[in-house]
Amino acid sequence: MKNVIFLAPPASGKGTFSDYLIKKHNYNHLSTGNILRQKALTDSSLASYLQTGELVDDDTILNLVKENLSMTNDKPFILDGVPRTLNQALKLNDIIDEETWQNTVVILIVVKESLLKERIINRFFCPNCGATYNSSIESLKPKIKDTCDICNTLLIKRSDDNLNTYNERYQSYLKDTYPLIKYYEEKHLLKRINNEDADISKALQMLEGVIND
Ligand code: AMP
């Protein structure tokens, strides 16, 4: 099973794809966004980066990756949310060795912008168990409105899931992350998965194909 790196605009589905890989194939999940949100609970300057959608500096990010990637043992890993700049991609080459790269795929999740906005507005999560939902995607709707299927807790929104922060995150994706597509294409590591369907089963089938290629 291949290691996975997601290049993906906000709300394109990297969290959902990651959940699938964790549950179905026991992947190790390294999400820089999740780690930063946890740290931001006690670090107000970090919290303001997350609130505005501005990128955190590369050294902080690379240190997080170094610390957490060393704990993945022999399981395949997911890098969710990193690299987001060309500099992060170059520095990642000092952390991931050549042999590991040969068993790694970079997945670009393709979703048009109008759908991303709709998904941001309709995205919720459970503050108790962390499950995520999206009321604009049939297969990700909670069974009871605003309620977690797993533990019955009232669902809430991520504080950066609003249109203002989304715009900043999307602009940063276009400016900083989009150039990485060419970088990984030239290295023959890039695969594209379309995730525009309301039913995500086709996208997950493609994901299976890519990790087993
Ligand atoms: P995410 O959960 O991946 O959407 O990330 C949420 C926020 O965390 C982003 O809007 C950035 O402020 C910050 N962040 C996450 N990953 C990175 C990264 N690789 N480089 C810089 N900032 C990041």
Side-chain angles (χ1 to χ4, degrees):
M1 207 101 16
K2 288 196 167 169
N3 304 304
V4 169
I5 296 178
F6 285 122
L7 289 189
S12 57
K14 59 190 165 76
T16 308
F17 283 16
S18 296
D19 284 349
Y20 173 83
L21 294 174
I22 296 161
K23 285 188 193 125
K24 182 96 195 279
H25 297 297
N26 201 22
Y27 269 74
N28 248 310
H29 185 215
L30 199 170
S31 157
T32 43
N34 285 354
I35 299 171
L36 292 169
R37 274 185 286 281
Q38 197 58 38
K39 285 187 182 288
L41 297 175
T42 54
D43 180 338
S44 57
S45 71
L46 202 50
S48 71
Y49 276 95
L50 298 181
Q51 193 52 47
T52 57
E54 209 182 315
L55 290 187
V56 174
D57 70 277
D58 289 343
D59 285 342
T60 303
I61 296 294
L62 268 301
N63 283 335
L64 288 182
V65 175
K66 237 185 260 174
E67 273 167 33
N68 289 278
L69 210 55
S70 61
M71 297 192 288
T72 59
N73 308 320
D74 288 336
K75 292 204 258 177
F77 62 77
I78 304 163
L79 285 190
D80 168 349
V82 67
R84 255 175 158 105
T85 64
L86 189 57
N87 188 37
Q88 288 180 14
L90 296 174
K91 289 191 171 166
L92 203 55
N93 294 333
D94 298 333
I95 300 175
I96 298 178
D97 63 34
E98 198 42 51
E99 202 186 325
T100 308
W101 275 116
Q102 283 172 18
N103 196 38
T104 298
V105 60
V106 178
I107 297 178
L108 173 67
I109 308 181
V110 178
V111 178
K112 63 180 172 215
E113 214 222 330
S114 55
L115 263 184
L116 294 174
K117 276 191 183 159
E118 193 183 319
R119 289 181 183 176
I120 279 278
I121 297 167
N122 290 296
R123 182 158 77 171
F124 297 89
F125 78 100
C126 173
N128 183 44
C129 72
T132 55
Y133 297 88
N134 201 304
S135 47
S136 68
I137 301 174
E138 202 47 48
S139 47
L140 297 178
K141 275 185 186 167
K143 289 192 181 82
I144 302 168
K145 192 171 181 288
D146 299 336
T147 309
C148 180
D149 292 352
I150 300 163
C151 63
N152 266 331
T153 305
L154 190 66
L155 301 177
I156 59 172
K157 284 192 80 58
R158 251 169 71 172
S159 65
D160 57 348
D161 276 353
N162 60 68
L163 283 183
N164 277 346
T165 310
Y166 162 80
N167 283 331
E168 171 72 31
R169 285 154 75 200
Y170 190 70
Q171 289 312 315
S172 137
Y173 169 75
L174 291 182
K175 178 171 145 286
D176 300 308
T177 313
Y178 205 70
L180 297 182
I181 297 171
K182 188 161 172 264
Y183 176 76
Y184 285 117
E185 220 156 27
E186 283 170 358
K187 288 180 166 287
H188 307 289
L189 289 169
L190 193 88
K191 298 277 182 193
R192 287 176 166 75
I193 297 184
N194 184 294
N195 190 27
E196 293 183 339
D197 261 18
D199 173 3
I200 60 163
S201 57
K202 229 190 283 168
L204 294 179
Q205 218 175 321
M206 278 192 77
L207 181 62
E208 277 290 337
V210 162
I211 58 170
N212 287 299
D213 191 16

